[in-house]
Every structure is written in C-alpha cells, then in structure tokens.
Amino acid sequence: MEFIDLKAHYSRYKESIDARIHQVLDHGGYIMGPEIAELEQILGNYVGVKHCISVASGTDSLEIVLRALNIGPGDEVITVPFSWISTAEVIAQVGAKPVLIDIEPVFFNMDPALLESAITKNTKAIMPVSLFGQMADMEKINAIAAKFNIPVIEDAAQSFGASRNGKRSCNTSIVGSTSFFPAKPLGCFGDGGALFTDDDNLAQTIRTIRNHGGLKRHHHTHIGMNGRLDTLQAAVILGKWAGFEEEVELRAKVGARYSSLLEGYIKTPAIDAGNTHVYAQYTVRVDSFEKRESLISQLQLKGIPTAIYYPKCFHEQPAFSYLGYKFGDFPQSELASREVFSLPMHPFLTEEDQDFIVSSLKQILS
C-alpha cells in the first residue's frame, strides 16, 4: 500500500502529461518556455488574482517574497513553530529573525489570539501556515496585521485548492505562496512553486528576483536568485490540470469517509467554520507519544504506512537554538508534534484500502 500513490496520478494522466512533455522537448524552450506563461494564467484565474508567478520550489517562493518585501537583517517575521522547516528557514536565510507564536490545538494553525502581543516595531511580516490542507483564520490575522500595517504572507504549501468563506487559498492576503512538490495537492514531478498577488508592483519585483534580479538580459535591478520553474515541470502540471478540481472533490470525499468511519475511535481532523479541506495529509491525534508510537508500529506490521510530519518543532532544532526559546514555550505545538500522525491519503485511495486501514486501526484501538 502506498502512503501517497504518485504512480496512480501518472497512470491517470499519462497521455496528456506525455503529450505536454513532448511539446517541450520538441520546441526546446526548457527555461521560461511558453508553458510557464500558460500555467501562470490558468493558476491565477483559478485562485482569482491578477498575478501568478511560478518559481522553482515552495521554499524559493517564500524566500523570494521576503526579499521582494525588503525584509532582511534587523527585521522580524512572525510564524508558527509547527510546520516544515522551510517556513522558518527562509526568514533566517534573508537575515531576519523568526518570531514564533503557538498554534491553536484543534486545526493546528496560527492562534490569532497570540499574534498582537508578538508584534514589535521590527515586525515586517506575518506568515501563517495553512497546515495539512485547510486555511488558517485569515480574517482575524489580516485584521490584526492591518492595524499595524504589516503584510501577511500565506504559506499555502499544503492548502492549494482549499477555500475559506468562498475565497481560495492564496487569495486572502497581499501574497500567497504554494508548493508543487510531488506529494502536494497539485504536484509536479520534481520541485516547483508559485506566488499569487493582486499587487502589480510586488508581482514585478517577484518576477525580477526569481530571474537573477533582472527582467532584461544583462540588466539587473535587484540582487536576485535563480528561482525559475522548469518548463518541463510546468508541462507536467498542465498535463494534470484538467483533473484537479475532481481531485479536490475526491480528497474531500476520502477525508470525510475516513472521519465518518473513525468517529469515536480516534481524534479526526476538524474543519473550521467556512473552510474546505483538501487533506494534503489526513492527520489524526491520540493522547500520548507512547500511544502514537505503539499504533504506528502495529499498523506497520499490517503493511499500512503512516507518517509523522513534524516530530520536532522549530525551537527544538539545533539550527534555531540561537533564538533563545526553550521547550515548554509553545505547549500546543509541542503536544501536536508528539501526538499526531497521518494515514495514507490521496484522491485515488480505494474504499477497499480505506476499509482495511480503518478496520486495522479500530482493531488496534479496541
């Protein structure tokens, strides 16, 4: 059994993906070929923003937007300690300081109640993470940010395709960032990402920075980077695009079926009011580290793969020891890191496999 069945994706879209790839091989525009502009137009329209700028990875997308907002040494960016390392890594990469606030315990996203007290004169951005496939409370976060005139960057690496109160992820703040890593809701066959904004000036700066700091050859207006999406990866996404909305619906169906079947046995993902969920991961929770480890071991014996995405929080990583945080500073994040784990999840998970996973889990828990 596959945890995320990427081979099923390819077999489902093989004809269109192969055709798109061969178009690139035929025209030879491997860097910034016509598929890049085509993909950006499609994704921008889908999200509902004026500008989509594709980039080389979800990590690059975050770093590029921080640079585009002129964030650097002496600045602070507020985020959460419970996410993949790239969320905080890019803040340090541009020379700024990651300032961490805890998550709320139900949806695992930034707790807006803790945000205002973390803002200082050095705060230059707020970066909530839309974790596991649903969006953070962007209304409350945006309201606090607006009070202090601070830009909000949605780290939507896991929530592309989700929505909140009718607005799609990547369209609820000045800029949204997503990832096309193969396991994401919309994945390519390597690394890739994109940024989304309605701000014309910001979009122009982002485009400049992703291309070595210049839009004209041999004329560099910014210190940039090589952050372009490969044309072949754009072709892969285009080859899969026709099925994406169906996949979003299938993810919701698989997730809802899991939750219905597991109700009363284990803590299943809650969906915040106004949210849709794309279940980038189907993440369940138990009440202790020991119980989680035992469950995972027993499921493994039955051939059922699981994943623990964030077994340590940022403040527990040696690379961030200089921030001065200690264990106990973020109790909700620390508890989540030791109590949650994810079950096999993808749009094409069969009911037969799902039933086996559920019955096995129930048997262990009984």
Side-chain angles (χ1 to χ4, degrees), residues 57-131:
S57 71
T59 305
D60 279 354
S61 69
L62 293 172
E63 181 177 341
I64 287 170
V65 76
L66 290 174
R67 294 186 183 280
L69 291 170
N70 293 312
I71 294 171
D75 296 334
E76 296 175 354
V77 178
I78 299 173
T79 191
V80 292
F82 187 63
S83 179
W84 177 239
I85 193 71
S86 56
T87 303
E89 181 181 48
V90 294
I91 300 168
Q93 188 69 32
V94 300
K97 178 184 177 182
V99 173
L100 306 179
I101 62 172
D102 213 350
I103 59 171
E104 42 72 29
V106 179
F107 313 110
F108 309 113
N109 286 323
M110 178 180 282
D111 188 345
L114 304 174
L115 178 55
E116 188 163 344
S117 62
I119 294 172
T120 73
K121 61 181 176 58
N122 296 320
T123 305
K124 295 298 187 291
I126 299 165
M127 192 186 295
V129 181
S130 295
L131 204 68

Side-chain angles (χ1 to χ4, degrees), residues 153-171:
I153 304 163
E154 184 193 2
D155 181 346
Q158 298 180 10
S159 61
F160 192 81
S163 63
R164 181 172 176 84
N165 295 321
K167 297 195 79 172
R168 294 196 193 276
S169 185
C170 295
N171 184 17

Side-chain angles (χ1 to χ4, degrees), residues 19 24 50 66 71 79 88 108 133 170 196 213 231 258 260 282 284 324 330 333 366:
V24 178
K50 289 166 64 176
L66 290 174
I71 294 171
T79 191
F108 309 113
C170 295
F196 299 84
T231 309
Y258 257 139
S260 175
Y282 186 85
V284 294
F330 309 102
S333 295
S366 297

Side-chain angles (χ1 to χ4, degrees), residues 81-83 308-318 333 337-338:
F82 187 63
S83 179
I308 302 169
Y309 277 85
Y310 317 116
K312 287 185 177 181
C313 301
F314 296 158
H315 63 294
E316 299 177 77
Q317 298 291 350
S333 295
S337 71
R338 283 144 178 85

Side-chain angles (χ1 to χ4, degrees), residues 25-250:
L25 297 177
D26 287 339
H27 67 58
Y30 303 125
I31 304 296
M32 298 302 289
E35 287 77 9
I36 296 294
E38 181 183 357
L39 179 66
E40 290 175 344
Q41 183 68 46
I42 288 171
L43 296 183
N45 289 342
Y46 175 79
V47 169
V49 297
K50 289 166 64 176
H51 304 282
C52 167
I53 306 99
S54 61
V55 295
S57 71
T59 305
D60 279 354
S61 69
L62 293 172
E63 181 177 341
I64 287 170
V65 76
L66 290 174
R67 294 186 183 280
L69 291 170
N70 293 312
I71 294 171
D75 296 334
E76 296 175 354
V77 178
I78 299 173
T79 191
V80 292
F82 187 63
S83 179
W84 177 239
I85 193 71
S86 56
T87 303
E89 181 181 48
V90 294
I91 300 168
Q93 188 69 32
V94 300
K97 178 184 177 182
V99 173
L100 306 179
I101 62 172
D102 213 350
I103 59 171
E104 42 72 29
V106 179
F107 313 110
F108 309 113
N109 286 323
M110 178 180 282
D111 188 345
L114 304 174
L115 178 55
E116 188 163 344
S117 62
I119 294 172
T120 73
K121 61 181 176 58
N122 296 320
T123 305
K124 295 298 187 291
I126 299 165
M127 192 186 295
V129 181
S130 295
L131 204 68
F132 294 142
Q134 71 171 319
M135 295 170 65
D137 190 338
M138 298 300 290
E139 293 88 354
K140 289 182 181 177
I141 293 167
N142 284 334
I144 295 166
K147 181 178 175 182
F148 295 89
N149 196 29
I150 298 169
V152 175
I153 304 163
E154 184 193 2
D155 181 346
Q158 298 180 10
S159 61
F160 192 81
S163 63
R164 181 172 176 84
N165 295 321
K167 297 195 79 172
R168 294 196 193 276
S169 185
C170 295
N171 184 17
T172 57
S173 60
I174 188 173
V175 63
S177 159
T178 199
S179 168
F180 302 133
F181 185 78
K184 302 299 185 187
L186 180 62
C188 57
F189 289 173
D191 278 312
L195 289 157
F196 299 84
T197 185
D198 279 323
D199 187 305
D200 296 338
N201 292 330
L202 181 59
Q204 186 80 341
T205 305
I206 289 168
R207 288 191 181 95
T208 303
I209 291 172
R210 78 163 171 185
N211 191 48
H212 295 289
L215 295 178
K216 296 180 180 178
R217 190 166 177 81
H218 304 306
H219 181 69
H220 307 273
T221 56
H222 295 70
I223 301 298
M225 59 193 290
N226 182 358
R228 302 171 302 232
L229 180 68
D230 289 341
T231 309
L232 283 169
Q233 299 299 346
V236 169
I237 298 171
L238 288 167
K240 296 170 62 178
W241 179 251
F244 181 65
E245 290 203 67
E246 181 191 8
E247 286 192 31
V248 169
E249 293 173 4
L250 289 172

Side-chain angles (χ1 to χ4, degrees), residues 213-333:
L215 295 178
K216 296 180 180 178
R217 190 166 177 81
H218 304 306
H219 181 69
H220 307 273
T221 56
H222 295 70
I223 301 298
M225 59 193 290
N226 182 358
R228 302 171 302 232
L229 180 68
D230 289 341
T231 309
L232 283 169
Q233 299 299 346
V236 169
I237 298 171
L238 288 167
K240 296 170 62 178
W241 179 251
F244 181 65
E245 290 203 67
E246 181 191 8
E247 286 192 31
V248 169
E249 293 173 4
L250 289 172
R251 284 179 174 277
K253 183 178 178 181
V254 172
R257 189 168 187 270
Y258 257 139
S259 294
S260 175
L261 294 171
L262 288 170
E263 185 178 3
Y265 286 87
I266 200 167
K267 189 172 287 187
T268 57
I271 302 177
D272 199 4
N275 274 1
T276 65
H277 204 313
V278 290
Y279 295 102
Q281 294 86 24
Y282 186 85
T283 301
V284 294
R285 186 169 194 167
V286 293
D287 55 11
S288 73
F289 174 80
E290 292 76 18
K291 188 171 184 178
R292 181 180 73 178
E293 299 307 295
S294 175
L295 273 174
I296 288 172
S297 296
Q298 292 179 74
L299 288 170
Q300 188 175 20
L301 290 174
K302 294 176 178 289
I304 298 171
T306 59
I308 302 169
Y309 277 85
Y310 317 116
K312 287 185 177 181
C313 301
F314 296 158
H315 63 294
E316 299 177 77
Q317 298 291 350
F320 289 117
S321 60
Y322 73 93
L323 294 175
Y325 296 116
K326 63 183 185 304
F327 191 83
D329 285 344
F330 309 102
Q332 297 300 339
S333 295

